[in-house]
Protein backbone atom coordinates (compact mmCIF):
# COMPACT_ATOMS: atom_id res chain seq x y z
CA UNK A 1 0.00 0.00 0.00
CA UNK A 2 1.60 3.33 -1.01
CA UNK A 3 2.35 5.97 1.61
CA UNK A 4 -0.03 8.95 1.65
CA UNK A 5 1.92 12.13 2.38
CA UNK A 6 -1.38 13.94 2.92
CA UNK A 7 -2.06 11.69 5.91
CA UNK A 8 1.27 12.34 7.66
CA UNK A 9 1.59 14.84 10.53
CA UNK A 10 5.27 15.01 11.51
CA UNK A 11 6.43 16.82 14.65
CA UNK A 12 9.81 18.54 14.49
CA UNK A 13 11.54 20.10 17.49
CA UNK A 14 14.46 22.52 17.58
CA UNK A 15 16.84 19.67 18.52
CA UNK A 16 16.06 17.89 15.27
CA UNK A 17 16.36 21.10 13.27
CA UNK A 18 19.86 21.64 14.70
CA UNK A 19 20.92 18.02 14.23
CA UNK A 20 19.96 18.19 10.56
CA UNK A 21 22.15 21.24 9.89
CA UNK A 22 24.58 19.26 7.74
CA UNK A 23 24.79 18.84 3.95
CA UNK A 24 21.85 16.74 2.66
CA UNK A 25 22.45 13.15 1.50
CA UNK A 26 22.87 14.20 -2.14
CA UNK A 27 25.90 16.29 -1.14
CA UNK A 28 27.29 14.15 1.68
CA UNK A 29 30.11 12.78 -0.46
CA UNK A 30 31.04 15.82 -2.54
CA UNK A 31 34.47 17.39 -2.23
CA UNK A 32 36.44 20.04 -4.07
CA UNK A 33 38.20 17.20 -5.89
CA UNK A 34 34.90 15.93 -7.30
CA UNK A 35 33.86 19.31 -8.73
CA UNK A 36 34.46 19.45 -12.48
CA UNK A 37 34.57 23.08 -13.65
CA UNK A 38 33.50 23.73 -17.24
CA UNK A 39 36.58 24.83 -19.17
CA UNK A 40 34.35 27.13 -21.21
CA UNK A 41 33.21 28.96 -18.06
CA UNK A 42 36.32 30.39 -16.34
CA UNK A 43 34.27 31.71 -13.40
CA UNK A 44 33.74 28.12 -12.23
CA UNK A 45 37.45 27.39 -11.95
CA UNK A 46 38.06 30.77 -10.33
CA UNK A 47 35.39 30.16 -7.69
CA UNK A 48 36.82 26.71 -7.01
CA UNK A 49 40.33 28.13 -6.50
CA UNK A 50 39.14 30.85 -4.12
CA UNK A 51 37.09 28.41 -2.06
CA UNK A 52 39.95 25.93 -1.85
CA UNK A 53 42.10 28.75 -0.48
CA UNK A 54 39.45 29.74 2.03
CA UNK A 55 38.94 26.09 2.95
CA UNK A 56 42.65 25.81 3.71
CA UNK A 57 42.27 28.54 6.33
CA UNK A 58 39.11 27.03 7.80
CA UNK A 59 40.65 23.56 7.93
CA UNK A 60 43.06 24.76 10.61
CA UNK A 61 41.94 24.53 14.25
CA UNK A 62 40.11 27.58 15.52
CA UNK A 63 42.34 30.18 17.12
CA UNK A 64 41.31 32.04 20.24
CA UNK A 65 40.99 35.71 19.41
CA UNK A 66 42.59 38.41 21.51
CA UNK A 67 40.49 40.54 23.82
CA UNK A 68 41.06 43.50 21.48
CA UNK A 69 39.76 41.53 18.49
CA UNK A 70 36.72 40.39 20.42
CA UNK A 71 35.95 43.95 21.52
CA UNK A 72 36.22 45.16 17.95
CA UNK A 73 34.02 42.31 16.76
CA UNK A 74 36.64 41.37 14.18
CA UNK A 75 36.47 38.02 12.48
CA UNK A 76 39.26 35.51 13.09
CA UNK A 77 42.33 35.74 10.89
CA UNK A 78 41.52 35.22 7.24
CA UNK A 79 39.79 37.11 4.43
CA UNK A 80 38.81 40.72 5.14
CA UNK A 81 35.11 40.02 4.85
CA UNK A 82 33.65 37.30 7.08
CA UNK A 83 31.38 35.92 4.36
CA UNK A 84 31.75 34.36 0.93
CA UNK A 85 28.78 34.57 -1.45
CA UNK A 86 28.42 32.53 -4.65
CA UNK A 87 25.95 34.13 -7.04
CA UNK A 88 24.89 32.24 -10.15
CA UNK A 89 22.24 30.40 -12.12
CA UNK A 90 20.80 26.95 -11.60
CA UNK A 91 22.84 23.77 -11.83
CA UNK A 92 26.31 25.35 -12.06
CA UNK A 93 27.62 23.61 -8.93
CA UNK A 94 27.18 26.30 -6.27
CA UNK A 95 25.78 23.86 -3.69
CA UNK A 96 28.52 21.34 -4.54
CA UNK A 97 31.16 23.99 -3.76
CA UNK A 98 29.39 25.17 -0.59
CA UNK A 99 29.10 21.62 0.76
CA UNK A 100 32.75 20.97 -0.14
CA UNK A 101 33.81 24.00 1.91
CA UNK A 102 31.78 22.70 4.85
CA UNK A 103 33.35 19.24 4.58
CA UNK A 104 36.93 20.53 4.56
CA UNK A 105 36.44 23.03 7.40
CA UNK A 106 37.20 22.30 11.02
CA UNK A 107 34.26 22.56 13.37
CA UNK A 108 32.11 23.56 15.00
CA UNK A 109 30.25 24.21 11.75
CA UNK A 110 26.71 24.33 10.42
CA UNK A 111 25.07 23.85 7.01
CA UNK A 112 21.49 24.78 6.17
CA UNK A 113 19.28 26.35 3.54
CA UNK A 114 18.04 29.89 4.05
CA UNK A 115 14.53 28.56 4.73
CA UNK A 116 15.89 26.14 7.34
CA UNK A 117 17.78 28.99 9.02
CA UNK A 118 14.69 31.17 9.31
CA UNK A 119 12.70 28.17 10.57
CA UNK A 120 15.36 27.51 13.20
CA UNK A 121 15.33 31.11 14.41
CA UNK A 122 11.55 30.92 14.60
CA UNK A 123 11.75 27.76 16.71
CA UNK A 124 14.48 29.05 19.05
CA UNK A 125 13.70 32.76 19.23
CA UNK A 126 16.25 35.42 18.33
CA UNK A 127 18.08 35.54 21.66
CA UNK A 128 18.58 31.78 21.93
CA UNK A 129 19.41 31.52 18.21
CA UNK A 130 22.23 34.05 18.58
CA UNK A 131 23.51 32.24 21.67
CA UNK A 132 23.44 28.81 20.00
CA UNK A 133 24.74 29.83 16.57
CA UNK A 134 27.54 32.00 17.95
CA UNK A 135 29.28 28.77 18.97
CA UNK A 136 29.82 27.87 15.31
CA UNK A 137 32.99 28.81 13.51
CA UNK A 138 31.41 28.56 10.05
CA UNK A 139 27.79 28.73 8.92
CA UNK A 140 27.00 27.72 5.32
CA UNK A 141 23.67 28.98 3.94
CA UNK A 142 22.38 27.52 0.68
CA UNK A 143 19.75 29.29 -1.45
CA UNK A 144 20.02 32.66 0.29
CA UNK A 145 16.94 34.73 -0.52
CA UNK A 146 14.68 37.38 0.99
CA UNK A 147 10.97 36.81 0.47
CA UNK A 148 9.42 39.33 2.83
CA UNK A 149 10.25 42.23 5.18
CA UNK A 150 10.11 39.99 8.25
CA UNK A 151 12.85 37.72 6.93
CA UNK A 152 14.92 40.75 5.93
CA UNK A 153 14.91 42.33 9.37
CA UNK A 154 15.35 39.00 11.16
CA UNK A 155 18.31 37.79 9.10
CA UNK A 156 19.95 41.22 9.10
CA UNK A 157 19.90 41.27 12.92
CA UNK A 158 20.98 37.65 13.23
CA UNK A 159 23.93 37.71 10.84
CA UNK A 160 25.07 41.09 12.13
CA UNK A 161 25.36 39.70 15.65
CA UNK A 162 26.98 36.45 14.50
CA UNK A 163 29.59 38.25 12.40
CA UNK A 164 30.35 40.55 15.34
CA UNK A 165 30.96 37.43 17.39
CA UNK A 166 33.51 36.06 14.92
CA UNK A 167 31.37 33.60 12.94
CA UNK A 168 32.35 33.20 9.28
CA UNK A 169 29.68 32.79 6.62
CA UNK A 170 29.38 31.17 3.21
CA UNK A 171 26.27 31.40 1.05
CA UNK A 172 24.88 30.58 -2.37
CA UNK A 173 22.11 32.42 -4.19
CA UNK A 174 20.61 33.20 -7.55
CA UNK A 175 20.55 36.91 -6.70
CA UNK A 176 23.30 39.39 -5.89
CA UNK A 177 23.11 40.39 -2.19
CA UNK A 178 22.44 44.05 -2.98
CA UNK A 179 19.40 43.07 -5.06
CA UNK A 180 17.80 40.61 -2.64
CA UNK A 181 14.08 41.08 -2.27
CA UNK A 182 13.57 42.89 -5.58
CA UNK A 183 10.13 42.19 -7.05
CA UNK A 184 8.95 40.44 -3.88
CA UNK A 185 8.31 43.35 -1.50
CA UNK A 186 9.19 47.02 -1.17
CA UNK A 187 12.90 46.29 -0.94
CA UNK A 188 13.73 49.99 -1.15
CA UNK A 189 12.17 50.39 2.31
CA UNK A 190 14.76 47.98 3.70
CA UNK A 191 17.89 49.20 1.93
CA UNK A 192 19.77 49.61 5.20
CA UNK A 193 19.19 45.98 6.15
CA UNK A 194 19.93 44.67 2.66
CA UNK A 195 23.07 46.76 2.25
CA UNK A 196 24.16 45.67 5.71
CA UNK A 197 23.82 42.04 4.67
CA UNK A 198 25.72 42.66 1.43
CA UNK A 199 28.60 44.27 3.34
CA UNK A 200 29.34 40.95 5.08
CA UNK A 201 30.18 39.12 1.84
CA UNK A 202 32.91 38.76 -0.73
CA UNK A 203 30.75 38.09 -3.80
CA UNK A 204 31.79 35.81 -6.66
CA UNK A 205 29.74 35.17 -9.78
CA UNK A 206 29.69 31.64 -11.21
CA UNK A 207 28.29 31.12 -14.72
CA UNK A 208 27.36 28.17 -16.90
CA UNK A 209 24.44 26.05 -18.16
CA UNK A 210 22.39 23.88 -15.83
CA UNK A 211 24.32 20.59 -15.69
CA UNK A 212 21.14 18.69 -14.80
CA UNK A 213 19.70 19.25 -18.27
CA UNK A 214 22.67 19.18 -20.61
CA UNK A 215 21.36 17.07 -23.48
CA UNK A 216 18.10 16.23 -21.69
CA UNK A 217 14.56 17.14 -22.80
CA UNK A 218 12.84 20.04 -21.06
CA UNK A 219 10.54 17.67 -19.17
CA UNK A 220 9.54 14.02 -19.51
CA UNK A 221 6.03 13.23 -20.70
CA UNK A 222 3.68 12.68 -17.76
CA UNK A 223 2.42 9.19 -17.06
CA UNK A 224 -1.22 8.16 -16.77
CA UNK A 225 -2.80 7.94 -13.31
CA UNK A 226 -2.73 4.16 -13.57
CA UNK A 227 1.00 4.13 -14.34
CA UNK A 228 1.84 6.37 -11.37
CA UNK A 229 -0.32 4.29 -9.01
CA UNK A 230 1.18 1.03 -10.29
CA UNK A 231 4.74 2.31 -9.81
CA UNK A 232 3.92 3.41 -6.26
CA UNK A 233 2.45 -0.01 -5.45
CA UNK A 234 5.46 -1.86 -6.83
CA UNK A 235 8.21 0.29 -5.31
CA UNK A 236 9.01 -0.12 -1.62
CA UNK A 237 8.27 2.89 0.59
CA UNK A 238 6.78 4.92 -2.28
CA UNK A 239 4.13 7.59 -1.79
CA UNK A 240 1.18 8.43 -4.02
CA UNK A 241 -1.12 11.45 -3.54
CA UNK A 242 -3.56 13.43 -5.60
CA UNK A 243 -2.06 16.84 -6.34
CA UNK A 244 -4.96 18.75 -4.73
CA UNK A 245 -4.82 16.65 -1.54
CA UNK A 246 -1.07 17.21 -1.33
CA UNK A 247 -1.08 20.98 -1.69
CA UNK A 248 -3.97 21.34 0.75
CA UNK A 249 -1.99 19.30 3.27
CA UNK A 250 1.16 21.37 2.77
CA UNK A 251 -0.83 24.47 3.69
CA UNK A 252 -1.51 22.93 7.11
CA UNK A 253 2.14 22.12 7.85
CA UNK A 254 4.94 24.56 8.63
CA UNK A 255 7.62 24.34 5.90
CA UNK A 256 10.14 23.28 8.57
CA UNK A 257 8.27 19.95 8.64
CA UNK A 258 8.46 19.19 4.92
CA UNK A 259 11.71 17.27 5.33
CA UNK A 260 10.22 15.10 8.08
CA UNK A 261 7.16 14.58 5.87
CA UNK A 262 9.47 12.66 3.53
CA UNK A 263 11.07 10.46 6.22
CA UNK A 264 11.51 6.94 4.85
CA UNK A 265 10.00 7.81 1.45
CA UNK A 266 11.97 6.30 -1.44
CA UNK A 267 9.84 7.59 -4.35
CA UNK A 268 7.05 10.14 -4.77
CA UNK A 269 4.02 9.82 -7.04
CA UNK A 270 1.67 12.74 -7.72
CA UNK A 271 -1.62 12.30 -9.57
CA UNK A 272 -3.33 14.94 -11.73
CA UNK A 273 -0.64 17.62 -11.59
CA UNK A 274 -2.20 20.96 -12.54
CA UNK A 275 -1.13 24.42 -13.58
CA UNK A 276 -0.83 26.57 -10.48
CA UNK A 277 -2.95 29.66 -9.92
CA UNK A 278 -2.05 30.51 -6.31
CA UNK A 279 1.37 31.93 -5.43
CA UNK A 280 1.19 30.57 -1.87
CA UNK A 281 0.66 27.03 -3.17
CA UNK A 282 3.52 27.51 -5.63
CA UNK A 283 5.95 28.66 -2.94
CA UNK A 284 5.11 25.69 -0.69
CA UNK A 285 5.76 23.33 -3.59
CA UNK A 286 9.16 24.99 -4.12
CA UNK A 287 10.12 24.07 -0.55
CA UNK A 288 8.88 20.50 -1.02
CA UNK A 289 10.85 20.24 -4.27
CA UNK A 290 14.01 21.37 -2.45
CA UNK A 291 13.55 18.78 0.29
CA UNK A 292 12.91 16.04 -2.30
CA UNK A 293 16.00 17.05 -4.24
CA UNK A 294 18.12 17.08 -1.06
CA UNK A 295 17.09 13.46 -0.50
CA UNK A 296 17.37 12.43 -4.18
CA UNK A 297 13.79 11.08 -4.22
CA UNK A 298 12.58 10.02 -7.70
CA UNK A 299 9.32 11.53 -8.91
CA UNK A 300 6.50 10.30 -11.14
CA UNK A 301 3.54 12.46 -12.12
CA UNK A 302 0.37 12.41 -14.18
CA UNK A 303 -1.53 15.45 -15.40
CA UNK A 304 0.17 18.45 -17.00
CA UNK A 305 3.90 18.23 -17.81
CA UNK A 306 6.14 19.61 -15.08
CA UNK A 307 7.28 22.51 -17.26
CA UNK A 308 3.67 23.71 -17.43
CA UNK A 309 3.08 23.65 -13.67
CA UNK A 310 4.18 27.28 -13.18
CA UNK A 311 2.26 29.60 -15.55
CA UNK A 312 3.94 32.32 -17.60
CA UNK A 313 2.92 35.15 -15.27
CA UNK A 314 4.58 33.42 -12.29
CA UNK A 315 7.75 32.82 -14.27
CA UNK A 316 7.93 36.55 -14.98
CA UNK A 317 7.28 37.68 -11.38
CA UNK A 318 9.38 38.30 -8.31
CA UNK A 319 9.71 34.61 -7.47
CA UNK A 320 10.81 33.64 -10.99
CA UNK A 321 14.20 32.31 -9.88
CA UNK A 322 12.64 30.17 -7.15
CA UNK A 323 10.23 28.60 -9.62
CA UNK A 324 12.93 27.97 -12.21
CA UNK A 325 15.10 26.30 -9.57
CA UNK A 326 12.18 24.10 -8.52
CA UNK A 327 11.51 23.13 -12.15
CA UNK A 328 15.17 22.32 -12.69
CA UNK A 329 15.19 20.02 -9.68
CA UNK A 330 11.79 18.41 -10.25
CA UNK A 331 12.63 17.62 -13.87
CA UNK A 332 15.90 16.03 -12.75
CA UNK A 333 14.01 13.86 -10.23
CA UNK A 334 11.34 12.99 -12.81
CA UNK A 335 13.95 11.84 -15.27
CA UNK A 336 15.31 9.51 -12.59
CA UNK A 337 11.78 8.33 -11.81
CA UNK A 338 11.15 7.47 -15.46
CA UNK A 339 14.22 5.23 -15.50
CA UNK A 340 13.24 3.12 -12.50
Amino acid sequence: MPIRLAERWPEVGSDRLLSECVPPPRFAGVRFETYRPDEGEPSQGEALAVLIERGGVLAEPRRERSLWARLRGAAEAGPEKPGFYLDGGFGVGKTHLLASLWHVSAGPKMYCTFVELTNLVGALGMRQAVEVLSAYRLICIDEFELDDPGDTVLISRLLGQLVAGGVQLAATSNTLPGRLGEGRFQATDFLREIQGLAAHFDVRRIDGPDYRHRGLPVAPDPWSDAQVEKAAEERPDASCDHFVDLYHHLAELHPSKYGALLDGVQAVGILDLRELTDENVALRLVVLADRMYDRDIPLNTSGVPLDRMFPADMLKGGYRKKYLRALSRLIALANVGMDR
Side-chain angles (χ1 to χ4, degrees):
M1 185 71 179
I3 297 166
R4 303 293 182 191
L5 296 180
E7 296 175 359
R8 288 186 155 196
W9 297 92
E11 292 298 327
V12 180
S14 57
D15 288 346
R16 172 167 176 170
L17 292 176
L18 278 169
S19 70
E20 292 180 341
C21 287
V22 297
R26 175 180 281 271
F27 296 98
V30 302
R31 298 294 185 273
F32 288 132
E33 294 79 12
T34 62
Y35 182 73
R36 298 289 178 263
D38 186 336
E39 293 183 1
E41 301 289 349
S43 61
Q44 295 186 13
E46 292 165 4
L48 174 62
V50 171
L51 278 174
I52 288 174
E53 181 180 358
R54 179 163 289 211
V57 174
L58 290 169
E60 298 296 324
R62 188 174 196 170
R63 302 174 188 172
E64 289 298 322
R65 297 183 301 145
S66 67
L67 175 61
W68 173 241
R70 291 198 299 272
L71 289 173
R72 289 176 58 209
E76 60 184 290
E80 285 187 14
K81 292 192 176 182
F84 187 87
Y85 191 104
L86 273 179
D87 168 64
F90 316 105
V92 295
K94 301 187 304 295
T95 301
H96 185 136
L97 290 172
L98 185 70
S100 298
L101 178 67
W102 186 91
H103 284 302
V104 77
S105 300
K109 56 189 178 180
M110 173 179 166
Y111 183 105
C112 60
T113 65
F114 181 83
V115 170
E116 288 168 336
L117 180 61
T118 57
N119 290 340
L120 180 62
V121 178
L124 295 176
M126 176 62 75
R127 177 177 293 182
Q128 188 179 359
V130 171
E131 181 179 338
V132 170
L133 301 185
S134 292
Y136 291 98
R137 183 191 191 193
L138 170 70
I139 296 179
C140 294
I141 308 168
D142 199 18
E143 301 157 15
F144 201 105
E145 52 205 357
L146 298 177
D147 288 338
D148 58 62
D151 282 351
T152 302
V153 174
L154 181 146
I155 293 300
S156 176
R157 288 180 54 202
L158 175 70
L159 296 190
Q161 293 185 59
L162 295 180
V163 165
V167 178
Q168 293 207 31
L169 309 170
T172 70
S173 183
N174 301 314
T175 306
L176 288 168
R179 300 183 65 180
L180 289 164
E182 284 187 0
R184 302 181 183 182
F185 59 94
Q186 287 296 105
T188 53
D189 293 341
F190 296 89
L191 282 178
R192 184 178 65 178
E193 288 81 3
I194 292 171
Q195 291 171 356
L197 285 169
H200 297 321
F201 294 104
D202 172 15
V203 181
R204 295 286 174 138
R205 173 73 188 179
I206 181 168
D207 297 302
D210 187 338
Y211 81 90
R212 288 182 286 263
H213 305 308
R214 292 170 190 164
L216 292 175
V218 172
D221 291 332
W223 284 0
S224 67
D225 287 355
Q227 286 176 304
V228 175
E229 291 172 332
K230 185 173 185 291
E233 290 170 357
E234 293 177 347
R235 293 171 177 169
D237 300 317
S239 72
C240 187
D241 292 85
H242 191 279
F243 184 57
V244 174
D245 293 338
L246 181 59
Y247 75 64
H248 281 314
H249 188 59
L250 293 178
E252 299 185 57
L253 292 177
H254 191 276
S256 63
K257 299 181 179 181
Y258 289 7
L261 184 69
L262 298 166
D263 281 354
V265 176
Q266 299 301 312
V268 167
I270 300 176
L271 303 172
D272 193 18
L273 193 70
R274 303 177 183 183
E275 185 177 276
L276 296 165
T277 58
D278 186 321
E279 199 108 66
N280 292 317
V281 173
L283 290 171
R284 293 185 193 108
L285 288 168
V286 168
V287 178
L288 182 67
D290 288 339
R291 301 293 79 78
M292 288 175 57
Y293 186 75
D294 288 345
R295 291 157 177 78
D296 202 14
I297 300 175
L299 172 67
N300 294 118
T301 63
S302 64
V304 302
L306 282 165
D307 54 7
R308 285 175 45 198
M309 184 170 68
F310 297 103
D313 60 332
M314 286 189 183
L315 294 178
K316 294 176 182 176
Y319 298 104
R320 173 179 179 273
K321 292 181 178 180
K322 273 180 173 262
Y323 299 147
L324 291 176
R325 183 185 76 224
L327 280 178
S328 170
R329 293 181 165 187
L330 289 172
I331 290 170
L333 296 176
N335 278 301
V336 174
M338 295 283 286
D339 293 337
R340 295 189 180 180

